[in-house]
Amino acid sequence: MVYLNDDIAQLDWQAALPLLSEQRRQQVLRFKYELGRKTCAGAYLLLCEALRKEYHITERPVFEYGEHGKPFIKGHPEIYFNISHCREAVACVTSSRPVGIDVESIRSYRESLVNYTMNEKEVEQIKQAERPDVEFIRLWTRKEAVLKLTGEGLTNDLKRVLTGSEQIETTVNMEKNYVWSVVFA
């Protein structure tokens, strides 16, 4: 199930601190700017909501990390989750199988970044789109969701991430200026 909060401006990160695990509180406080603190706290609160609703877990989750840094919930290897955030939104997904999610702000892009991250077909798709900036972010979130599913992160050849066989759901929210994609194993 996907959980999304795109009202980050209303999140009171200081009031949220007592609701976080000590581990997450420390992570929130490492952010220099308020936006980072809000999004870090907000993504964790979405995970807590998901765990309560779907698994009846009320304790604050503590993370452990896999080989490539992908987090998992200590004591609950049967629960897969992934979180993401950008300036406009935080997102969380939980599942009984591996899952990845990415949310990104719609913003301008550099052609050099497109050429570095996209294959020829994707570059053409971006160039022909009515809104190339949106198409780039749409493809980017799809790639990052797949890499977060596997736990590999941005270490792979980004041009070869999407094979066409993935079952990826993508949502573009033009009104709030973000795109999110989710993929399940």
Side-chain angles (χ1 to χ4, degrees):
M1 180 99 148
V2 174
Y3 295 81
L4 189 86
N5 177 352
D6 60 8
D7 195 13
I8 299 303
Q10 299 304 313
L11 180 70
D12 182 345
W13 68 270
Q14 290 175 319
L17 286 177
L19 305 174
L20 310 178
S21 68
E22 179 60 29
Q23 178 190 51
R24 194 62 171 195
R25 256 192 306 279
Q26 294 303 316
Q27 189 173 2
V28 166
L29 293 171
R30 280 195 289 271
F31 281 91
K32 182 177 180 180
Y33 298 106
E34 183 176 49
L35 180 62
R37 290 177 176 184
K38 284 183 174 193
T39 57
C40 185
Y44 185 87
L45 291 175
L46 283 182
L47 175 61
C48 290
E49 177 185 347
L51 293 174
R52 241 184 350 269
K53 286 182 176 177
E54 295 178 43
Y55 301 96
H56 309 289
I57 295 173
T58 57
E59 69 261 11
R60 297 173 185 126
V62 174
F63 301 152
E64 292 185 330
Y65 297 89
E67 176 185 353
H68 299 289
K70 182 173 176 145
F72 59 93
I73 301 169
K74 184 177 182 178
H76 292 282
E78 75 285 5
I79 300 173
Y80 295 89
F81 80 97
N82 203 230
I83 56 179
S84 184
H85 51 79
C86 67
R87 294 186 67 82
E88 291 77 21
V90 293
C92 173
V93 61
T94 57
S95 180
S96 59
R97 57 192 175 161
V99 63
I101 193 165
D102 187 44
V103 61
E104 299 285 341
S105 305
I106 298 170
R107 60 192 180 279
S108 61
Y109 64 89
R110 296 182 322 271
E111 191 171 329
S112 62
L113 182 60
V114 170
N115 292 331
Y116 180 73
T117 59
M118 304 292 160
N119 62 40
E120 289 179 21
K121 179 182 172 194
E122 294 162 343
V123 169
E124 194 58 35
Q125 199 173 320
I126 291 166
K127 286 181 179 179
Q128 291 182 3
E130 184 178 321
R131 290 281 311 268
D133 56 338
V134 174
E135 186 62 14
F136 172 75
I137 295 298
R138 191 185 75 77
L139 288 167
W140 179 266
T141 61
R142 294 170 72 83
K143 288 177 184 241
E144 194 161 336
V146 168
L147 292 171
K148 290 175 78 175
L149 167 106
T150 64
E152 296 172 66
L154 298 176
T155 58
N156 274 2
D157 178 359
L158 296 174
K159 293 181 180 187
R160 294 192 171 111
V161 171
L162 299 177
T163 64
S165 64
E166 304 88 0
Q167 296 295 314
I168 305 173
E169 177 186 330
T170 301
T171 300
V172 177
N173 188 325
M174 295 298 291
E175 180 183 328
K176 297 243 180 156
N177 199 49
Y178 65 84
V179 176
W180 63 270
S181 292
V182 64
V183 61
F184 296 90

